[in-house]
Amino acid sequence: MIFGKRFSARYLVQGMRCAHCAAKTEKALSALPGVKKVQIQLDQGIATIVSTKEVPEEDVRRAIEEAGFAFVGKAQ
């Protein structure tokens, strides 16, 4: 359970094709400071991050790219 202020952001990720890809992305994003929960919508290529503080977009981009996928930007 998350107490206090909570932030949520959705990002588009290209290249995730299977459950292994989703798990790899989830693990990379979960390691970012302040991230409490990551949800991957594989069919839409969306990663949702819930955190206790704002996570810089550059950090999200780096984590996704280091996991081997393409960071597209924020999802609507």
Side-chain angles (χ1 to χ4, degrees):
M1 180 173 279
I2 299 172
F3 297 101
K5 200 163 195 173
R6 180 174 98 145
F7 298 88
S8 180
R10 295 167 21 115
Y11 299 94
L12 294 170
V13 182
Q14 285 184 339
M16 294 187 299
R17 303 277 185 247
C18 63
H20 175 72
C21 295
K24 191 173 180 182
T25 303
E26 181 178 348
K27 182 178 179 181
L29 293 172
S30 293
L32 294 173
V35 173
K36 295 299 177 191
K37 181 180 177 184
V38 176
Q39 181 181 11
I40 304 295
Q41 292 172 272
L42 186 58
D43 59 329
Q44 297 178 0
I46 295 176
T48 302
I49 298 173
V50 178
S51 59
T52 57
K53 62 180 185 174
E54 295 225 29
V55 179
E57 191 170 301
E58 178 62 23
D59 292 351
V60 174
R61 181 196 61 77
R62 189 176 312 111
I64 289 170
E65 290 178 353
E66 287 178 0
F69 305 102
F71 174 78
V72 178
K74 282 204 172 183
Q76 297 299 336

